[in-house]
Amino acid sequence: HWGTDTQGIANVRRYLLEWQSFLHRYIPAGILEVLPQKINERPPAFVGRNDLETLLSSPLASDWVKISEMLLGPVPDDFTFVPKHKSNSYE
C-alpha cells in the first residue's frame, strides 16, 4: 500500500530511508580523484557542492530523516529509524 494516507506515507518514508542507507556510500564522479574507482577503495572525505549534496552523502540516519521530511513532510512524534543493513566494508 503506497497511498497518500498515513500508512502509505509511512511505507514510502521507510523505503526512502532504507534506500538512503545504501545510497549514501556513492559519491559523484566529479569528486573522485582517480577514475574509475576500485570496488574496495574507501570514498574520500568530502563536502558536497551544496548543503543538500552534503546531506545526501551523510552516514547519519538523522540526516536521512531530514531528507525524508523535505519530501514527505514532518515525521510522526513516535517515529524512529534504525537501518536494517550496515556496511561492514568500512566505517
Side-chain angles (χ1 to χ4, degrees):
H1 179 75
W2 298 89
T4 57
D5 61 348
T6 306
Q7 181 184 0
I9 291 176
N11 287 342
V12 171
R13 187 181 312 274
R14 176 82 45 205
Y15 179 82
L16 175 68
L17 292 170
E18 290 295 345
W19 179 62
Q20 187 64 28
S21 72
F22 173 77
L23 188 67
H24 83 276
R25 296 179 287 221
Y26 295 92
I27 58 175
I31 295 175
L32 294 174
E33 295 175 2
V34 178
L35 288 173
Q37 181 182 14
K38 303 228 185 305
I39 196 164
N40 60 347
E41 288 180 341
R42 294 180 183 189
F46 74 97
V47 175
R49 294 169 281 196
N50 57 33
D51 292 339
L52 182 58
E53 191 172 70
T54 303
L55 204 60
L56 286 167
S57 65
S58 173
L60 303 175
S62 60
D63 288 340
W64 308 337
V65 173
K66 287 180 194 173
I67 293 169
S68 78
E69 287 181 327
M70 288 179 198
L71 299 171
L72 301 171
V75 297
D77 293 333
D78 60 343
F79 182 80
T80 58
F81 175 71
V82 178
K84 289 181 188 174
H85 308 288
K86 183 174 178 184
S87 170
N88 60 2
S89 61
Y90 61 88
E91 293 290 324

